[in-house]
């Protein structure tokens, strides 16, 4: 009898640990980390579609995340996240994938009329984004007192870090205002440093200033890329990061060494 009770306890504990938690969206919470509410599935072959993901066989393979941020390092796998949301407020709700420089970010919402698909990421044309900006934002079709099920599909060649946030559109733009101010100040300073040192190179003909200009330019491009501003770059710069992702960090490393040596 005791053994049966222990077995039943373990089964109930495991079933609870793998149960899908529902995140309640409210305007008061602002921008919230919802990674701990997600279940994750690593598709090592990258062949699963949203239709196969919804099958009972694959649904059983989803496991709880490690918390608000789950690291997969460099992987060829496609990682899926399953989330459920509900709300008691009328609002425009959005979900964000926190690493906007990922190559492919697909968002699926299961609705009564089928599956809604939205796209973002470096490989996705800008015109296909829900909102043009440095964030990977996806719109939730969520009515008051409803509960919806959503899936994120992410594939990248860089180290993958699964960070998911959710909020109203107003909440995201309230946070965006402060972030864009400091980003603008940083990139403005970097541009001024590049122009000033280019002027010194032209007037003094000392190549140390040219090394510093290249260091500032390539380090700024690299930082802007990982902050999601690649959407505003020219097509040639985007192709540089898409097909030679290590070139920019290698160049700013090389020019920083040359500047130090000189």
């Amino acid at each position: 009898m005791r053994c049966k009770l222990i077995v039943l306890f373990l089964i109930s504990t495991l079933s609870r640990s793998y149960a899908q938690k529902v995140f309640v969206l409210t305007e008061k919470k602002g921008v919230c980390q919802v990674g701990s509410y997600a279940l994750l599935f690593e598709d090592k072959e990258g062949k699963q579609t949203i239709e196969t993901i919804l099958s009972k066989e694959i649904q059983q393979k989803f496991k709880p995340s490690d918390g608000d941020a789950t690291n997969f390092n460099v992987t060829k796998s496609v990682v899926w996240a399953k989330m459920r949301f509900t709300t008691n407020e009328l609002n425009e709700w959005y979900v964000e994938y926190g690493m906007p420089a990922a190559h492919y970010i697909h968002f699926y919402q299961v609705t009564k009329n089928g599956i809604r698909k939205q796209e973002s990421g470096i490989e996705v044309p800008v015109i296909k984004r829900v909102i043009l900006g440095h964030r990977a934002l996806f719109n939730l079709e969520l009515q008051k007192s409803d509960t919806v099920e959503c899936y994120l599909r992410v594939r990248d060649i860089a180290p993958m870090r699964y960070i998911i946030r959710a909020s109203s559109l107003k909440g995201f733009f309230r946070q965006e205002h402060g972030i864009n101010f400091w980003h603008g100040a940083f990139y403005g300073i970097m541009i001024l440093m590049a122009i000033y040192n280019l002027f010194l190179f032209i007037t003094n003909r000392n190549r140390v200033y040219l090394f510093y200009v290249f260091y500032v330019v390539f380090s700024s491009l690299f930082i802007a890329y990982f902050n999601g501003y690649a959407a505003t770059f020219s097509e040639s710069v985007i192709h540089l990061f898409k097909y030679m992702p290590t070139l920019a960090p290698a160049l700013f490393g090389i020019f920083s060494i040359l500047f130090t040596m000189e």
Side-chain angles (χ1 to χ4, degrees):
M1 185 66 181
R2 184 179 295 177
C3 291
K4 289 182 179 179
L5 289 173
I6 292 172
V7 171
L8 288 171
F9 172 77
L10 290 173
I11 291 172
S12 63
T13 303
L14 287 171
S15 64
R16 284 197 300 270
S17 65
Y18 282 81
Q20 178 77 66
K21 295 182 289 184
V22 181
F23 186 84
V24 181
L25 291 162
T26 63
E27 180 67 39
K28 187 178 180 180
K29 290 180 180 178
V31 180
C32 299
Q33 299 277 2
V34 298
S36 59
Y37 285 76
L39 299 179
L40 302 179
F41 166 65
E42 185 175 357
D43 177 14
K44 294 185 178 181
E45 295 182 358
K47 295 181 179 179
Q48 302 295 338
T49 63
I50 184 60
E51 288 77 17
T52 58
I53 285 293
L54 292 174
S55 67
K56 185 177 180 181
E57 179 186 355
I58 301 298
Q59 288 288 309
Q60 293 174 348
K61 295 182 180 180
F62 276 87
K63 297 180 180 180
S65 63
D66 294 337
D68 289 331
T70 302
N71 295 306
F72 288 91
N73 296 319
V74 178
T75 177
K76 294 182 179 179
S77 302
V78 172
V79 181
W80 291 78
K82 175 184 176 183
M83 300 156 289
R84 299 183 72 197
F85 296 98
T86 189
T87 184
N88 294 315
E89 302 175 10
L90 288 173
N91 216 323
E92 285 188 84
W93 302 109
Y94 282 78
V95 175
E96 177 195 21
Y97 178 68
M99 303 295 289
H103 278 228
Y104 289 100
I105 312 168
H106 293 167
F107 181 81
Y108 301 91
Q109 180 179 343
V110 181
T111 68
K112 297 177 182 178
N113 301 320
I115 298 169
R116 293 176 66 238
K117 179 182 177 182
Q118 299 169 63
E119 299 176 282
S120 188
I122 299 302
E123 296 280 356
V124 177
V126 174
I127 57 172
K128 289 189 176 183
R129 297 194 179 196
V130 177
I131 295 177
L132 177 60
H134 75 281
R135 291 180 181 269
L137 287 174
F138 306 99
N139 174 247
L140 269 178
E141 203 173 78
L142 178 59
Q143 302 298 322
K144 185 178 179 180
S145 301
D146 282 352
T147 300
V148 296
E149 186 172 282
C150 308
Y151 294 85
L152 262 175
R153 178 188 184 274
V154 181
R155 181 166 69 84
D156 200 8
I157 62 172
M160 192 185 299
R161 192 161 185 252
Y162 237 97
I163 301 173
I164 308 170
R165 304 184 185 97
S167 180
S168 65
L169 187 62
K170 183 179 178 180
F172 276 118
F173 273 91
R174 189 185 298 118
Q175 188 186 71
E176 190 86 350
H177 177 73
I179 292 173
N180 282 338
F181 173 80
W182 293 111
H183 280 176
F186 168 76
Y187 294 118
I189 291 169
M190 297 298 273
I191 290 170
L192 285 174
M193 290 173 66
I195 293 172
Y196 176 65
N197 280 275
L198 183 62
F199 171 76
L200 291 177
F201 168 73
I202 293 171
T203 54
N204 296 332
R205 294 297 177 183
N206 190 334
R207 62 181 184 179
V208 69
Y209 298 113
L210 189 61
F211 291 155
Y212 194 73
V213 169
F214 284 124
Y215 163 72
V216 168
V217 168
F218 285 111
S219 61
S220 299
L221 283 175
F222 183 65
I223 294 168
Y225 168 76
F226 272 100
N227 281 324
Y229 290 103
T232 60
F233 293 168
S234 65
E235 284 295 322
S236 57
V237 177
I238 292 175
H239 282 296
L240 173 71
F241 283 105
K242 282 167 60 175
Y243 301 110
M244 292 181 288
T246 59
L247 182 60
L251 287 174
F252 85 69
I254 289 169
F255 283 114
S256 67
I257 293 170
L258 291 173
F259 170 76
T260 305
M261 291 173 62
E262 191 72 15

